[in-house]
Amino acid sequence: METKQELDLDVAANILKLLGDKTRLTMIKILDDHEFCVCEFVALFQMTQPAISQHLRKLKDNGIVKESRKGQWIFYSLNRSHPYYSFIQTVISNLPSQRYKLDELEEQGKRITCD
């Protein structure tokens, strides 16, 4: 049985500030369903690798995402054990699916560039 943890206003404000950026918010929505590599985000957002890495670093530093290594590649996923995961889930649950973006990457042959 899951217990509801009271949310500290400072923590909530910090999470909302992180998710207030459209790129990071989109990343979190995608990571809720799929593990993703930096190179895939670069192709998806058409941004530089350092810019994508900066967004991911902010999310990782706050424990919202976690990373795992597979060879030379680093894959990111949503940290479901984050103490305020349920709050983050509440925020992103009403957002539209981003599946079409993944489909576009697959069509372009960029979805599995890290394998």
Side-chain angles (χ1 to χ4, degrees):
M1 184 160 109
E2 185 177 322
T3 60
K4 186 167 179 146
Q5 183 173 356
E6 187 173 308
L7 189 63
D8 177 84
L9 283 177
D10 289 333
V11 172
N14 188 48
I15 291 171
L16 291 172
K17 182 178 177 183
L18 286 166
L19 299 183
D21 179 271
K22 184 179 178 183
T23 300
R24 287 192 292 270
L25 185 61
T26 305
M27 286 175 163
I28 291 300
K29 183 64 177 179
I30 290 169
L31 293 174
D32 190 39
D33 293 325
H34 301 91
E35 186 176 70
F36 235 63
C37 180
V38 171
C39 62
E40 293 173 304
F41 279 130
V42 167
L44 181 73
F45 291 107
Q46 298 181 353
M47 296 172 70
T48 65
Q49 182 272 325
I52 293 297
S53 292
Q54 187 74 354
H55 283 295
L56 289 167
R57 183 193 57 78
K58 289 178 182 181
L59 294 168
K60 183 179 172 246
D61 286 352
N62 285 277
I64 295 172
V65 300
K66 59 185 179 177
E67 65 181 28
S68 62
R69 283 199 176 273
K70 294 182 182 175
Q72 66 182 8
W73 305 107
I74 299 175
F75 286 83
Y76 292 87
S77 58
L78 194 56
N79 182 4
R80 297 186 192 304
S81 63
H82 188 279
Y84 300 106
Y85 172 74
S86 63
F87 176 66
I88 296 165
Q89 190 61 41
T90 299
V91 171
I92 64 172
S93 65
N94 291 309
L95 297 176
S97 171
Q98 299 300 297
R99 180 67 209 177
Y100 73 96
K101 292 183 179 188
L102 303 179
D103 293 342
E104 288 173 4
L105 277 185
E106 287 173 5
E107 288 172 11
Q108 297 168 6
K110 297 178 181 176
R111 179 64 176 110
I112 36 179
T113 57
C114 301
D115 291 339

